[in-house]
């Protein structure tokens, strides 16, 4: 069986970043160094969870 992709939207990213505001998530996901979304859906962008987790580990290590 193939590997399942874990996708996250801005709501999940808010949680991953410790409950920051929606505006702050928009600011963060608009940064040049933030991973590119893998798709844009009607509800918004979605990212690979592993890409976002790696970015957080590199940039926001204080969340651990």
């Amino acid at each position: 069986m193939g590997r399942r992709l874990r996708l996250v939207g801005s709501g999940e990213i808010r949680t991953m970043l410790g409950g920051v505001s929606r505006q702050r998530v928009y600011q963060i996901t608009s940064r040049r160094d933030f991973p590119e979304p893998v798709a844009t859906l009607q509800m918004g962008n979605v990212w690979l969870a592993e890409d976002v987790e790696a970015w957080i580990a590199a940039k926001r290590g204080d969340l651990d």
Side-chain angles (χ1 to χ4, degrees):
M1 195 166 229
R3 189 181 109 194
R4 293 187 64 166
L5 295 178
R6 290 185 318 129
L7 301 175
V8 293
S10 60
E12 291 86 0
I13 293 172
R14 283 181 72 190
T15 302
M16 294 165 81
L17 291 171
V20 299
S21 70
R22 285 182 293 188
Q23 180 179 3
R24 184 67 180 134
V25 169
Y26 176 78
Q27 291 170 345
I28 290 169
T29 57
S30 296
R31 290 172 51 134
R32 286 184 173 180
D33 65 343
F34 197 81
E36 289 290 320
V38 293
T40 300
L41 308 175
Q42 187 173 2
M43 53 73 70
N45 291 332
V46 290
W47 292 263
L48 287 174
E50 64 188 47
D51 291 348
V52 175
E53 290 165 349
W55 185 89
I56 291 171
K59 302 291 182 180
R60 301 272 313 245
D62 59 323
L63 291 177
D64 291 337

